[in-house]
Amino acid sequence: MGPQMAGRADLEGPEARVSEAEPRESALLVPVPEAEPCVQHHRFRHDAVALLGVPAHITVLYPFMEPDEISEAATDAVREALAPFSGFPFRLTRLAHFPEGATYLAPEPATPFVRLTMAIAERFPAYPPYGGTHAEVIPHLTVAQSPDAPADELAEIERHLPIRCVARETWLMVEDDEHRWRNHRRFALDGSAPA
């Protein structure tokens, strides 16, 4: 084996596999603990991130930066972007479906969630909502990712609607090397920005 072949073999070794590893992710979300009793069983069966540590939630911004890139300056910028927002009541009122097949609970009113997303996206323009794949922000609490989830099983959720909730805080969740998610920071929605 000549020197060039040996060099190529080295590139195909463990070092190459490390560089090809999927990047870890992060997300900003509003946890919705009031919904857990009604949706947890369904999410565990039909939404893979539920088993990886992500609670029932409404996404504010995903995808966000890789966890290793999250600095104190970045968390300060998130805090500043969220500072004008106070907590707010909302209700989960109906089951709906995205064309791609995911089933979700729709919050009413939806506008406060859209405003949270726009405030963060404006502060972090390199991270558009949903990676820029969807033009419209539709706030939602996913209960099933797959279109194969049994409709009669998901219909059980409707017996509990509406679910009264309060958005109290936004979480910055990060994915670890085992693809489990954990809460990295909490940002209270307390309207702490000076008037």
Side-chain angles (χ1 to χ4, degrees):
M1 181 185 317
Q4 288 179 323
M5 293 302 285
R8 185 171 295 160
D10 288 346
L11 291 175
E12 293 171 1
E15 298 83 7
R17 283 192 290 278
V18 168
S19 66
E20 292 172 9
E22 289 182 32
R24 293 178 299 131
E25 298 181 304
S26 69
L28 288 155
L29 56 86
V30 172
V32 185
E34 298 92 341
E36 287 289 2
C38 304
V39 302
Q40 186 178 62
H41 168 76
H42 305 287
R43 290 186 67 240
F44 281 174
R45 290 174 52 93
H46 305 292
D47 185 8
V49 298
L51 293 172
L52 297 174
V54 179
H57 68 280
I58 295 175
T59 302
V60 173
L61 188 65
Y62 172 84
F64 194 46
M65 55 184 59
E66 289 187 34
D68 294 341
E69 297 173 356
I70 299 172
S71 63
E72 283 302 314
T75 56
D76 287 347
V78 170
R79 185 177 296 103
E80 289 167 12
L82 295 174
F85 294 93
S86 294
F88 55 90
F90 65 98
R91 297 179 316 143
L92 298 169
T93 59
R94 62 185 172 84
L95 273 178
H97 306 277
F98 285 118
E100 300 84 14
T103 302
Y104 65 94
L105 286 169
E108 290 183 11
T111 302
F113 292 104
V114 173
R115 288 183 181 141
L116 285 171
T117 296
M118 293 297 97
I120 294 291
E122 185 176 298
R123 189 64 182 257
F124 294 93
Y127 302 97
Y130 314 112
T133 59
H134 301 287
E136 184 180 4
V137 173
I138 300 174
H140 60 281
L141 189 156
T142 302
V143 294
Q145 286 287 353
S146 168
D148 301 329
D152 57 334
E153 182 182 321
L154 296 177
E156 291 176 23
I157 296 169
E158 292 180 308
R159 294 185 301 122
H160 302 284
L161 300 180
I163 302 170
R164 297 182 189 289
C165 311
V166 178
R168 294 178 176 87
E169 58 188 359
T170 298
W171 291 4
L172 171 56
M173 294 198 75
V174 297
E175 184 183 25
D176 66 21
D177 291 332
E178 284 77 44
H179 303 290
R180 303 260 328 146
W181 288 75
R182 64 178 174 79
N183 191 350
H184 180 70
R185 290 284 169 92
R186 294 174 190 239
F187 304 94
L189 297 175
D190 59 8
S192 61

